[in-house]
Amino acid sequence: MMKMEWLEGFAMFAEHLNFTHAARALHISQPALHAQIRRLSETLGVTLYGREGRRLRLTAEGEQVLRFARQTAERSEAFVERLRTGHSRQPLVLAAGEGALLYLLGDAIKAFAARGPAPLRLLTRDRDGTLQALRRGEAHVGVAVIDPVPDDLEGRVLAEIPQALVMPRAHPLARRRTVGVAALAELPLVLPPEGRPQRETLARAVAAEGGRLRPAVEATGWELAIHFVTLGLGLAVVNGCCRLPRGLVGRVVPGLPRVRYQALYRPDAQEHGGVTALLAMLHEHRGDWRERRSVAAATPRKGAA
């Protein structure tokens, strides 16, 4: 029989991946925590963690147990709250990247905060961090750029957004309605660090046109990339939902693939009553980014100078 204290101990260990820190947070000794997790592993008949270099990491089975531990704790807290007050207000957790939170999800978040059935907590995570938060039970819903959706998750498309080149309004390319991929090879670009998906996508697209990227400076995140454009350090390719400061314009690059944002969730996450409501609000407000001062909205209409 599993004991709740074993699950609680393992969840705290998984959060820190350090026995000393986890034991201190639980106010127990490190040997006691080791014993709890060993008993849990023996009872389940699986290895929960391993060593990778100098660091500890959860196994695939360990991540499943962590999700179960968090779900069990959440259900227990909700039950006690309903028993005492007649209702549960367990928070709903949404994980998403900085760009999605800034440019895509604001209206849905505002709507859920105003009339959703539960408080909303936000986690700022990149794509891999969002997937990890979902799989470990840290988040109920995630929004990320991903295609296809992993087999262990469900997904709903929120938006397919064009990529666009951002430049000063006085730049010669600003007179065009769109910019071809081949033109990117001739430009000093603000690019994500090597190995990031967007940089690899740009490199492949430009190479197919017989060119190579010219990195001017590296930046992580659309806000910083756009800021570097305002400083005159180069031009940047960003998602079309980004809003631009005065003096900058964006022109869609039709030869680049559209960015597909998906709302992701585990099938069992819908046990939380707020998941269905949040998914509905995300769907309801999924086109709102077009109406703001975004790159795509700023692109001149056909026939414009």
Side-chain angles (χ1 to χ4, degrees), residues 5-205:
E5 65 178 341
W6 299 351
L7 292 173
E8 292 168 1
F10 179 67
M12 185 61 71
F13 162 73
E15 182 176 331
H16 293 276
L17 288 176
N18 180 291
F19 278 100
T20 301
H21 295 165
R24 185 180 300 125
L26 290 166
H27 304 290
I28 62 175
S29 69
Q30 188 172 325
L33 179 59
H34 267 287
Q36 288 181 6
I37 294 177
R38 184 182 66 251
R39 294 282 301 276
L40 179 63
S41 177
E42 291 171 350
T43 300
L44 296 174
V46 297
T47 301
L48 300 175
Y49 67 93
R51 186 170 293 278
E52 193 173 76
R54 294 185 177 183
R55 303 183 63 180
L56 299 178
R57 62 171 182 81
L58 298 185
T59 63
E61 293 80 8
E63 291 201 346
Q64 291 181 54
V65 174
L66 174 58
R67 183 168 70 244
F68 174 76
R70 284 177 167 154
Q71 290 172 333
T72 300
E74 183 177 288
R75 283 195 291 267
S76 296
E77 291 171 8
F79 171 76
V80 172
E81 191 174 9
R82 281 193 298 270
L83 190 64
R84 290 175 175 172
T85 67
H87 64 276
S88 172
R89 295 281 291 170
Q90 285 294 306
L92 181 75
V93 183
L94 169 65
E98 181 179 304
L101 292 170
L102 281 170
Y103 304 123
L104 192 67
L105 305 178
D107 286 333
I109 290 171
K110 189 185 301 183
F112 191 90
R115 61 179 192 272
L120 183 64
R121 285 185 53 221
L122 300 175
L123 301 178
T124 305
R125 300 285 189 272
D126 62 13
R127 181 185 64 179
D128 292 342
T130 295
L131 294 177
Q132 184 181 75
L134 291 169
R135 287 167 174 155
R136 292 186 172 188
E138 188 180 6
H140 301 95
V141 179
V143 173
V145 174
I146 191 167
D147 191 31
V149 175
D151 291 341
D152 60 327
L153 299 173
E154 300 290 336
R156 299 183 184 181
V157 177
L158 294 181
E160 293 186 341
I161 298 173
Q163 298 187 63
L165 181 69
V166 175
M167 68 200 89
R169 188 175 296 278
H171 195 280
L173 290 177
R175 294 193 293 268
R176 301 185 184 182
R177 289 190 64 246
T178 60
V179 175
V181 171
L184 300 180
E186 305 167 8
L187 303 172
L189 294 175
V190 180
L191 294 169
E194 289 189 8
R196 299 296 292 268
Q198 197 235 13
R199 181 158 175 170
E200 294 179 351
T201 297
L202 289 175
R204 287 194 299 269

